[in-house]
């Protein structure tokens, strides 16, 4: 009997698939020690970014149903 493919729940909470098939992620360094970071830097960190092409196959394997 074969095993079902399961979604990596940690990855499911961190990544979203876009319409073009790429993966979106939130920027790091936005949770604490924010006083020393400039307002400009904190504004940039609010925006989401696209996962690099190198990491995409790993994430696709963790999220088989995405």
């Amino acid at each position: 009997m074969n095993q079902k493919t399961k979604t990596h729940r940690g990855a499911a909470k961190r990544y979203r698939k876009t319409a073009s098939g790429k993966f979106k992620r939130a920027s790091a360094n936005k949770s604490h020690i924010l006083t020393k970071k400039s307002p400009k830097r904190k504004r940039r960190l609010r925006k989401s970014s696209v996962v690099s092409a190198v990491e995409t196959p790993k994430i696709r394997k963790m999220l088989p149903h995405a």
Side-chain angles (χ1 to χ4, degrees):
M1 225 155 84
N2 290 340
Q3 279 258 290
K4 282 186 177 180
T5 55
K6 298 210 173 170
T7 300
H8 189 291
R9 297 314 295 162
K13 291 165 191 174
R14 287 173 174 86
Y15 302 104
R16 291 276 169 271
K17 197 171 188 182
T18 62
S20 63
K22 295 175 183 175
F23 287 94
K24 264 173 42 167
R25 65 170 178 81
S27 299
N29 306 314
K30 188 63 176 79
S31 58
H32 61 104
I33 317 174
L34 298 173
T35 49
K36 63 175 82 169
K37 294 168 189 165
S38 69
K40 183 180 179 179
R41 184 174 168 191
K42 288 187 275 193
R43 249 192 331 272
R44 274 203 321 267
L45 290 171
R46 264 187 236 144
K47 297 190 166 97
S48 60
S49 55
V50 177
V51 173
S52 70
V54 177
E55 298 292 322
T56 302
K58 294 178 193 173
I59 294 162
R60 195 170 284 128
K61 196 173 180 183
M62 287 193 277
L63 302 172
H65 306 295

